[in-house]
Amino acid sequence: MENDQIRNMIRKFISERPRNTAEISAWIRTQGNSQMPRSDIASILEMDANIVRIGTVRRSGIAGREYPLSEWATDEWVAYHERVEPNKEELK
């Protein structure tokens, strides 16, 4: 499966809510691409301008440290859920 196809699939998968690298890897394997190594997922996602790394998940309870466990979302999701800074003048 090519990287563009994988990115498109992942974009749809994370469009409703953010997912972490492990969730994305597990989901990709259920889609018939079991030979794709987990470490490649982060590199593929980093190259996509429409996918944003929004944080890192704590490793508590997660076995293994061979790949970063980051939280990913689409740029549209981030824009919709972005916090609006209050106007400082209104707070006075």
Side-chain angles (χ1 to χ4, degrees), residues 19-21 52-58 69-73:
R19 310 284 180 142
N20 68 47
T21 310
V52 180
R53 184 189 310 246
I54 59 172
T56 303
V57 177
R58 295 179 190 260
L69 192 56
S70 299
E71 193 83 16
W72 302 90

Side-chain angles (χ1 to χ4, degrees), residues 12-34:
K12 291 177 186 174
F13 180 60
I14 65 174
S15 64
E16 292 180 23
R17 68 178 180 93
R19 310 284 180 142
N20 68 47
T21 310
E23 289 175 302
I24 294 169
S25 295
W27 181 77
I28 287 290
R29 282 193 301 275
T30 66
Q31 303 303 305
N33 194 17
S34 58

Side-chain angles (χ1 to χ4, degrees), residues 11-12 14-18 48-52 54 72-83:
R11 249 185 252 125
K12 291 177 186 174
I14 65 174
S15 64
E16 292 180 23
R17 68 178 180 93
D48 192 320
N50 298 312
I51 298 176
V52 180
I54 59 172
W72 302 90
T74 61
D75 56 350
E76 292 173 354
W77 187 93
V78 171
Y80 181 79
H81 290 88
E82 202 165 36
R83 292 182 183 166

